[in-house]
Each structure stands twice: as structure tokens, then as C-alpha cells.
Amino acid sequence: MASDRNGETTDRAPAEAVGTPAVRFAHESEEEFARILDFYGISWQYEPRTFPLRTDGDKVVEAFTPDFYLPDIDTYIELTTLRQDLMTEKHRKLRTLREIYPGVEVKLLNKRDYLRLLAKYGFGPPSPRSIEGVHRVLVSAPQIRRRVKELGAQITKDYAGRTPVLVGVLKGVACFMADLMRQVSLPVAIDFMAISSFDNVNGGYVRILKDLDESIDGRDVLLVEDIVDTGMTLNHLLTYLRARKPASLKVCTLLDKRARRLVDVPLDYVGFEIPDEFVIGYGLDYGQLYRNLGFIATLKPGWMEEQAAQAK
Ligand code: 5GP
């Protein structure tokens, strides 16, 4: 697996990389590892750097090329087989590498180890197979963390000197609200509303199931949404909130499915623009499940239809 040649550096954007193995791997397990990284939306490079370990004059006589580099956690990964003869040699090389390059983080992993590592860094449960129905990760946990931090910083700057009220719409906003409010370094109040969702059978209109607890008259209101799809829900909510005479009313949404917009709604803060696909995770549900995933993912093609057919 580790080779003494200079591997080509291939920086892969995780979302686009799925199913497009442009890299030629030396071993099947490396390709599987890359697929798992892609599944979790983790950026990786294959054999980007060779570390000289021993030289004879100008000539490198021994070197070590770890299999992967994960820029998000600044760590090199060397995958292992369980062949003891190879392991002893690998351990020796790693010891030497750590002595010569003390600032470089290299982890030696077997398959069980690397699934655990991914779970530890918040990329989800230890195996993709354990989340039934999930197709692929569209926005990974580290990508969400980074973006929520940026949004929080922007909101802190824009509302400096004021005490905004963050209004969330239950239940999809639960994760986003919890993370976003902790990234806003201002005194903030929070409040929640719950609304009825569209009923295919009975039709009807958006009903308020839970109203705000406090008055927003004269307050700076920031409506926090999980996702804006057609924009109809948000449009209704904005009309409702405007009638309660806030000093200002802005919108922050984590996801924007712009391609499906039917009503033109103003979005002041957007986490990610996503394609026209049904997504789950990080608060978003399918049949009330999947809200607890740390990332945003799509469902397997046909999964919803299959589940609906089974429920009949
Ligand atoms: P809109 O009124 O903009 O069409 O829809 C907004 C609401 O529909 C969201 O608050 C959310 O509850 C639901 N929704 C829209 N797209 C998705 C999606 O891709 N996944 C999930 N789980 N809910 C969605």
C-alpha cells in the first residue's frame, strides 16, 4: 500500500467525487476507504507526499508514503493489512518517520479502526450500512460546523449593539438553531413556532400550532429556517410575523433549494444552496426519522416509494 514513489496529488471535493474514481489505487481496501470518505463528504488526497527516511549523500535510500492525507484534520492515514511480517516493517518505518517529522500526524489504521475514527470525528455512525436508506452525504458535519460558525460571525457583526430574537420553526430547525445561537456573540432571545404542514388529503392552509411565547413588537427578529423549498411556508410566516410589528425582520436558512422556488422570498443568510433533492439529517426528517444524523444526506433512489408501499 505505501509506496516509495511520489503519488500524484489529487484534491477531491467530496460531494462531486462520489462514484468517480479518477485515482488509480494500489489496493482494493484503499479504494473502499476512499468511498467511505466520499460517503461522509470528507476531503482526501491519495499519497500526496513522500517522506524521505534515510539518505546516502543526495540519494534517498528509504522513504515512506502514507496512503491518504485528510486536510480537514491535518492527518495522514496508512491503512494496514493484518500480515504480521509487513506490520513489523511498517511500525519500524512509522517510528522513524515520527522521530524525523515530529509535527506530522500519521495514523496506522485497520478497517475497524478507521470506521471508528470517522465516527469519532463526527462523520456519523461507524458504518454507512448502519443507516438504512441513506444514499450519500450532501453536506458533511465538518462543512456544517464551519458554515454555521461563519453565519454566526456575520450575524454578530450585523446585529452589533442590538438584542435580536431568533425565531425557529419546529421541528426541523432544532439542530441548526442550537448550533447557530451558540455562534452568535450577542445577547439573544430565542422563541419557537410550530405550523401544520401541507395535508395531501385534506388540503387546507398553514395553521399555527404553536405561537410565539413573547411579543416581537419593536424587536429585531431573525427567522431561522432549516430549508426553503418552494418558499410558500416562509412567505406565509413572514406575512404573519410582519403583522406583529417587529422593528426589523430578516431570514436565515441553512439550506436553500432554489431550483424549486415558486414564491420570491428574501433570504438574508444562507448556509448552503442545494440541488433539487429530498434531504434528511441535521434536524430534517423523513417520516420523523433521521433528524439525529450529524450531516445532511439524500435518500437512496426509490427508498421513499418502497417505504410508502410497505406501509400500505
Ligand atoms: P416550502 O414551503 O419552502 O416548500 O417548504 C418548506 C418546508 O418543507 C421545510 O420547512 C421542510 O419542513 C419541508 N421540506 C422541504 N424540502 C425538504 C427536504 O428536502 N427534506 C425535508 N426533510 N423536508 C423538506
Side-chain angles (χ1 to χ4, degrees):
M1 271 175 278
S3 67
D4 289 347
R5 68 199 140 84
N6 261 311
E8 221 174 90
T9 302
T10 321
D11 218 342
R12 312 243 304 181
E16 290 79 22
V18 176
T20 52
V23 176
R24 210 174 303 145
F25 295 98
H27 198 278
E28 217 175 85
S29 65
E30 296 169 353
E31 193 166 347
E32 190 192 10
F33 186 56
R35 272 202 302 273
I36 290 170
L37 294 172
D38 282 344
F39 178 90
Y40 285 111
I42 304 166
S43 306
W44 54 268
Q45 296 165 6
Y46 181 61
E47 296 187 343
R49 187 172 167 192
T50 294
F51 296 90
L53 297 183
R54 207 154 43 87
T55 48
D56 183 5
D58 282 349
K59 223 170 122 220
V60 176
V61 290
E62 188 175 42
F64 190 77
T65 308
D67 298 321
F68 287 88
Y69 175 63
L70 310 186
D72 284 342
I73 55 172
D74 191 18
T75 298
Y76 289 88
I77 304 288
E78 175 65 12
L79 301 183
T80 64
T81 58
L82 292 173
R83 276 183 51 191
Q84 206 47 53
D85 50 337
L86 295 179
M87 284 296 283
T88 313
E89 174 63 1
K90 224 169 237 187
H91 277 299
R92 185 191 63 76
K93 280 190 165 187
L94 261 181
R95 264 198 311 277
T96 314
L97 187 143
R98 285 179 180 136
E99 274 164 30
I100 306 174
Y101 307 92
V104 173
E105 181 73 25
V106 189
K107 285 191 194 309
L108 192 61
L109 299 182
N110 62 36
K111 186 167 172 176
R112 206 183 49 183
D113 286 339
Y114 68 65
L115 290 173
R116 280 192 186 149
L117 177 94
L118 296 179
K120 181 175 154 213
Y121 283 103
F123 292 110
S127 161
R129 276 191 291 276
S130 64
I131 351 171
E132 230 192 328
V134 168
H135 180 47
R136 72 174 173 114
V137 173
L138 203 60
V139 192
S140 71
Q143 284 171 325
I144 296 174
R145 261 199 303 277
R146 261 200 304 272
R147 189 70 189 118
V148 172
K149 204 169 171 190
E150 286 169 7
L151 289 172
Q154 190 60 48
I155 291 166
T156 303
K157 203 165 142 215
D158 295 350
Y159 284 86
R162 292 186 280 169
T163 305
V165 189
L166 309 184
V167 172
V169 185
L170 295 169
K171 305 172 190 167
V173 82
C175 297
F176 183 39
M177 179 68 114
D179 288 345
L180 182 69
M181 67 181 179
R182 284 177 291 176
Q183 295 299 333
V184 178
S185 311
L186 293 170
V188 293
I190 60 162
D191 210 337
F192 291 97
M193 294 177 72
I195 52 170
S196 60
S197 50
F198 178 69
D199 182 340
N200 241 337
V201 180
N202 299 314
Y205 49 91
V206 182
R207 277 184 308 121
I208 307 293
L209 302 177
K210 186 216 162 287
D211 207 337
L212 297 172
D213 291 334
E214 306 285 334
S215 163
I216 52 165
D217 193 340
R219 300 293 303 270
D220 291 301
V221 174
L222 180 60
L223 182 59
V224 183
E225 274 275 27
D226 47 0
I227 184 165
V228 180
D229 186 11
T230 63
M232 291 203 265
T233 311
L234 179 59
N235 190 50
H236 185 92
L237 281 169
L238 287 174
T239 308
Y240 182 85
L241 292 174
R242 255 184 230 118
R244 271 141 193 79
K245 305 207 167 21
S248 68
L249 180 58
K250 284 188 174 185
V251 179
C252 174
T253 184
L254 178 69
L255 304 175
D256 178 8
K257 225 193 263 182
R258 198 160 296 175
R260 297 217 341 142
R261 196 75 88 254
L262 296 177
V263 187
D264 190 23
V265 277
L267 301 181
D268 302 280
Y269 306 92
V270 175
F272 303 92
E273 193 177 325
I274 60 161
D276 180 10
E277 287 191 76
F278 188 83
V279 292
I280 45 142
Y282 195 65
L284 289 157
D285 75 310
Y286 171 65
Q288 295 302 328
L289 300 177
Y290 301 106
R291 293 193 199 274
N292 57 328
L293 299 181
F295 46 79
I296 289 157
T298 57
L299 287 172
K300 284 194 182 119
W303 177 258
M304 283 195 271
E305 291 76 4
E306 239 173 72
Q307 297 301 300
Q310 275 173 24
K312 275 189 186 151

